[in-house]
């Protein structure tokens, strides 16, 4: 099974600060995703990465950007965080038949 | 576009009773359907999956059958336990390299 890691696990930031969420995987799989989870809304797709420097917006990309310079590493960046970006963020990756989740990052923006 | 619908937000049951959590989907591609279970403050974990029409798949007492004719993949268990209390997500991956899509989730609460 693919192992997906996320750092940090918990993060508290003030409104307007920059946020970097990091994701790693151990199988060099091409496709990775960032989702956010909010109560009652399920998992919403923020960004997709098909490979190094090949990224695409998901359903709710506003306020976010991503970086993938190595296949094993996929970052989510919030420039000037907003309070409505308080959420749990999951990095997900894997082939068509199976997706692997990272443990999640709980971000609070005050 | 691809989508997954879970109609129940919360299902509350007494231990020992059967449960069915509904999942329907929309896609124009051949899909893989998944059920994930998420316990409090944890990541979703795969419960079961299927891409085969009309074949029942089972895991840990839960089972589901993919019915492409009705675009459904309902999750069932014949006798729920207290430990089954969790959030359950239905998900779809179409076979066209599009991203996985998740339903809103159904919270299952099992009472003694």
């Amino acid at each position: 099974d693919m192992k997906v890691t996320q750092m940090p696990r918990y993060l508290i930031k003030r409104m307007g600060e920059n946020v970097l969420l990091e994701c790693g995987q151990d199988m060099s799989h091409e496709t990775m995703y960032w989702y956010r989870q909010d109560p009652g809304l399920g998992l919403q797709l923020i960004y997709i990465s098909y490979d190094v420097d090949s990224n695409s917006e998901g359903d709710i990309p506003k306020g976010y950007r991503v970086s993938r310079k190595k296949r094993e590493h996929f970052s989510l960046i919030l420039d000037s965080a907003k309070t409505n970006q308080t959420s749990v963020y999951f990095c997900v990756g894997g082939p068509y038949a199976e997706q692997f989740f990272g443990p999640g990052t709980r971000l609070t923006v005050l | 576009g691809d989508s997954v619908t879970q109609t129940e937000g919360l299902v509350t049951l007494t231990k020992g009773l059967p449960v069915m959590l509904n999942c329907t989907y929309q896609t124009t591609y051949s899909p893989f359907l998944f059920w994930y279970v998420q316990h409090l403050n944890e990541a979703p974990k795969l419960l079961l999956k299927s891409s085969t029409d009309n074949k029942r798949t089972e895991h840990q007492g839960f089972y589901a059958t993919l019915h492409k004719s009705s675009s459904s993949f309902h999750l069932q268990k014949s006798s729920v336990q207290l430990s089954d209390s969790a959030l359950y997500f239905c998900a779809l991956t179409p076979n066209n390299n599009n991203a996985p899509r998740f339903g809103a989730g159904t919270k299952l609460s099992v009472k003694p």
Side-chain angles (χ1 to χ4, degrees), chain B residues 4-7 10 12 24-25 48 58 65 72 83 87 92 102:
Chain B
V4 177
T5 301
Q6 293 180 248
T7 51
L10 171 66
T12 302
T24 56
Y25 64 89
L48 44 80
E58 300 188 36
T65 303
S72 67
S83 59
L87 187 59
L92 146 74
F102 294 84

Side-chain angles (χ1 to χ4, degrees), chain A residues 54-101:
Chain A
S54 178
N55 306 314
S56 182
E57 294 181 344
D59 299 327
I60 53 162
K62 188 176 178 184
Y64 304 94
R65 59 184 174 94
V66 292
S67 175
R68 194 162 180 208
K69 298 301 181 185
K70 291 183 180 179
R71 194 175 267 187
E72 296 79 17
H73 194 236
F74 186 35
S75 301
L76 180 69
I77 301 140
L78 289 66
D79 294 315
S80 188
K82 298 171 181 52
T83 55
N84 62 7
Q85 292 177 308
T86 292
S87 188
V88 180
Y89 291 85
F90 287 102
C91 180
V92 180
Y96 160 66
E98 188 159 11
Q99 300 295 318
F100 298 94
F101 280 77

Side-chain angles (χ1 to χ4, degrees), chain A residues 7-26:
Chain A
M7 291 292 288
R9 296 292 314 280
Y10 302 90
L11 189 59
I12 299 175
K13 288 286 194 178
R14 296 194 181 278
M15 195 167 59
E17 291 184 328
N18 297 332
V19 177
L20 174 65
L21 305 185
E22 304 201 72
C23 170
Q25 51 124 330
D26 65 351

Side-chain angles (χ1 to χ4, degrees), chain B residues 76-94:
Chain B
Q76 297 180 265
K77 190 174 188 185
S78 57
S79 174
V80 294
Q81 304 304 309
L82 295 175
S83 59
D84 294 328
S85 293
L87 187 59
Y88 291 81
F89 286 102
C90 184
L92 146 74
T93 303

